[in-house]
Amino acid sequence: MVNLGLVVAEFNASVTEQMAAAAEDAAADRGVGIESTVRVPGVYDSPLAADRLARRDDIDAVAVVGAVVTGDTDHDQVISDATASSLQSVGLDRDTPVTFGITGPGQSGAEAHERVDKGRQPSTPPSTWWRCCHERPPVGLRRAGWPRRTVGDRRRRQQSQRARGGGRRRGRSLGRRTGLPDPERVREAGRQAIADGHTGYTSSNGITELRQAISTDLKAKNVPAEPDNVVVTPGAKQALFETVHALIDEGDEVILLDPAWVSYEAMVKLAGGDLTRVDLGEHEFELEPALDDLADAMSDETALLLVNSPSNPTGAVFSDEALAGVRDLAVEHDVTVVADEIYDRITYDAEPTSLAAFDGMADRTVTVNGFSKSYAMTGWRLGYLAAPEPLVDQVSKIHSHSVTCAPNFVQRAGVEALRSVETDVATMVKAFENRRDLVVDVLEDHGKSIPRPQGAFYAMIPTSADDVAWTDAAIEDAHVATVPGTAFNAPGYARISYAASEERLKEGFERLAAEGLL
């Protein structure tokens, strides 16, 4: 009997759950036992989960199912291609075969459901034991007797879509940054660093000049971090990932404040941690009125608390009183806190305070930040963490044995960003504030009152009870891409990003209104 490991990527749950059920039915029909099922937030997270299952002696094969239906065709293509490549690599690197069926790219919810229905049909050829969710073999199906999909397959599919009056459906995304490029001085610093030959390895934790600049910036926020407390990473996400894996063992409790950025859950699960969630939705996404709930959730058994302020996805900036409450609980229960402050320079009606600046928190706080948001340097991939030296020692081990170091010339561009582009940042923040005001005003005109975001560039719109259906309708009918609140553990909402021009935002809202979605 074949023992199967199943990975379920849950991003589009209404589709994926049916895919998972179809996979289980197909396995049962063929006498295949599912030894272990791992659920991850999205398909991006599936390769690492598949690799972990493929390493197990009690698993003979691994199957992955997931749905990439964001409404942004280009984005879906990137996700599909990257995931396919990663899963193919896992399949080639391990003795255990890895197969996968992922809907997309750019499929509508109806098309994804159609694939689920087809996945319930008996598979052919009978000699192939795995077939799920595809009328033809999924891209990259490995070692199961089927060829890869070819360019000709893709052309035939597109011709068929055009014949049905379809074709590639493009949504008007409200989430692409428009008119806010990375500062020219940063670009020039990067070009000059390359010209000067700064293209080799650096010390793993980062060049001294950048760590000193980060230390100076943190001290200006009353965070007592020396250069030796800093680890420079390729993106703030890497800093979060390394921190979670340095701190969390199997079964350790981690508390998230919901709505929470989607990658937190994935990181904790990959580290083996258990999640406890505190819902801020009943308090207009503010932490201060939810402190009693946090106190009920936290105990001496809690290993880690993740705090994101300003918040993605809500734009909330937690008050000093709320952060002081976090400090009191963390000290009482001896809990380490990760302060994700990636949006700290993008605020409007509030001045954020760094959690590590509170008395008693410097030795128990990991401050995470980066350059993607405040300096519009998304593709440069540069971030950092600041932590007590004992934790830095442990994080550095993961860092050096995984990514080695952040790119040399990118670090030097980061020095320039910290030193000379605050005027550019102020201009960007003012543009975001105007867009925030536009979003709030338009929603109020349509009878929707929302908590006024104080930072970042996101807003949560109340939807029907089924937020996934609402976001499906938004992309299918209005051609506007949003993210269901369920992805952030906040059902009944949809997240929009106002990192787009005012003209584009107005057009998006007009489309939503025309379809009765506002």
Side-chain angles (χ1 to χ4, degrees):
M1 179 176 179
V2 174
N3 289 328
L4 177 69
L6 178 63
V7 178
V8 181
E10 297 181 311
F11 176 66
N12 282 281
S14 62
V15 175
T16 304
E17 287 305 316
Q18 294 185 58
M19 295 173 70
E24 291 166 355
D25 291 345
D29 290 344
R30 291 153 182 79
V32 174
I34 297 180
E35 184 70 22
S36 178
T37 298
V38 176
R39 296 179 178 272
V40 295
V43 295
Y44 259 146
D45 310 297
S46 63
L48 185 53
D51 185 68
R52 285 195 169 192
L53 288 174
R55 293 169 182 265
R56 288 175 45 171
D57 293 337
D58 59 339
I59 288 179
D60 302 308
V62 176
V64 180
V65 294
V68 184
V69 189
T70 71
D72 183 333
T73 308
D74 293 335
H75 186 51
D76 287 352
Q77 186 71 58
V78 170
I79 294 175
S80 296
D81 289 349
T83 305
S85 176
S86 297
L87 287 169
Q88 288 172 19
S89 296
V90 173
L92 290 170
D93 290 345
R94 305 281 165 238
D95 291 334
T96 304
V98 176
T99 69
F100 55 98
I102 298 172
T103 66
Q107 289 183 308
S108 68
E111 289 170 321
H113 279 289
E114 182 182 3
R115 282 203 170 191
V116 170
D117 292 338
K118 289 178 179 177
R120 296 183 187 280
Q121 298 173 4
S123 67
T124 55
S127 60
T128 304
W129 63 270
W130 180 260
R131 181 183 180 92
C132 174
C133 312
H134 283 266
E135 66 178 311
R136 63 166 63 86
V139 178
L141 188 62
R142 309 298 297 175
R143 304 179 186 180
W146 276 328
R148 300 182 184 182
R149 182 176 292 166
T150 65
V151 173
D153 291 328
R154 184 178 298 131
R155 287 175 179 164
R156 284 189 290 274
R157 184 176 70 252
Q158 290 170 349
Q159 289 168 355
S160 175
Q161 288 173 335
R162 285 193 290 270
R164 297 196 306 267
R168 297 182 74 188
R169 182 176 297 234
R170 293 189 177 272
R172 175 68 71 173
S173 171
L174 299 187
R176 293 182 182 176
R177 190 168 296 190
T178 302
L180 298 170
D182 42 359
E184 178 56 34
R185 284 189 292 274
V186 171
R187 297 185 188 183
E188 179 55 35
R191 287 192 290 264
Q192 189 61 51
I194 293 173
D196 291 343
H198 295 300
T199 56
Y201 293 127
T202 72
S203 62
S204 185
N205 286 6
I207 62 173
T208 300
E209 189 177 10
L210 179 56
R211 289 187 292 113
Q212 287 175 337
I214 291 169
S215 171
T216 298
D217 186 63
L218 288 170
K219 287 178 179 177
K221 304 172 189 176
N222 298 315
V223 176
E226 300 297 332
D228 287 344
N229 296 116
V230 174
V231 178
V232 177
T233 58
K237 182 182 284 190
Q238 182 68 22
L240 288 164
F241 183 87
E242 292 174 6
T243 299
V244 169
H245 279 260
L247 289 171
I248 299 304
D249 291 324
E250 192 78 27
D252 283 349
E253 181 188 53
V254 179
I255 295 178
L256 296 185
L257 305 176
D258 285 332
W261 180 50
V262 295
S263 290
Y264 295 146
E265 178 179 352
M267 292 174 185
V268 172
K269 285 186 175 180
L270 288 170
D274 293 332
L275 288 168
T276 297
R277 313 191 78 123
V278 176
D279 184 15
L280 308 187
E282 297 179 359
H283 307 285
E284 294 191 329
F285 309 128
E286 292 295 338
L287 175 56
E288 188 177 348
L291 284 174
D292 286 344
D293 296 333
L294 179 59
D296 291 340
M298 193 178 293
S299 72
D300 291 347
E301 300 303 313
T302 303
L304 186 66
L305 167 66
L306 278 157
V307 177
N308 175 212
S309 175
S311 165
N312 175 7
T314 69
V317 177
F318 299 149
S319 67
D320 283 2
E321 290 75 14
L323 297 180
V326 169
R327 182 269 316 277
D328 293 344
L329 291 170
V331 171
E332 177 184 352
H333 297 290
D334 193 22
V335 172
T336 300
V337 181
V338 171
D340 182 354
E341 300 177 357
I342 188 69
Y343 297 96
D344 69 339
R345 278 180 164 84
I346 306 176
T347 58
Y348 318 116
D349 308 317
E351 288 295 328
T353 301
S354 286
L355 193 53
F358 283 81
D359 290 342
M361 291 304 291
D363 291 336
R364 67 178 68 255
T365 302
V366 182
T367 301
V368 174
N369 212 319
F371 295 75
S372 291
K373 312 304 181 183
S374 296
Y375 300 106
M377 293 173 62
T378 52
W380 294 77
R381 307 312 302 139
L382 188 64
Y384 63 86
L385 64 89
E389 286 193 34
L391 178 57
V392 167
D393 291 341
Q394 299 307 312
V395 167
S396 296
K397 296 174 184 176
I398 299 173
H399 184 69
S400 64
H401 290 294
S402 56
V403 296
T404 304
C405 63
N408 191 332
F409 63 91
V410 172
Q411 294 188 52
R412 296 175 193 279
V415 174
E416 182 68 21
L418 285 171
R419 288 180 175 174
S420 68
V421 299
E422 287 304 318
T423 300
D424 300 82
V425 174
T427 300
M428 178 183 70
V429 171
K430 183 59 180 175
F432 282 143
E433 183 174 11
N434 293 338
R435 296 169 187 181
R436 185 275 311 263
D437 293 342
L438 182 153
V439 167
V440 173
D441 291 344
V442 169
L443 290 173
E444 286 183 350
D445 289 343
H446 288 277
K448 288 184 179 289
S449 179
I450 66 169
R452 197 175 192 87
Q454 296 178 304
F457 36 77
Y458 307 106
M460 295 288 273
I461 303 176
T463 67
S464 59
D466 188 346
D467 55 285
V468 175
W470 189 96
T471 55
D472 281 348
I475 187 61
E476 287 298 313
D477 302 331
H479 309 309
V480 174
T482 60
V483 182
T486 299
F488 309 100
N489 212 42
Y493 291 90
R495 190 198 76 173
I496 67 166
S497 165
Y498 45 89
S501 68
E502 293 187 24
E503 292 75 17
R504 197 167 188 178
L505 288 167
K506 290 176 182 176
E507 180 186 351
F509 282 123
E510 288 170 359
R511 291 183 177 201
L512 291 171
E515 297 298 332
L517 294 169
L518 288 181

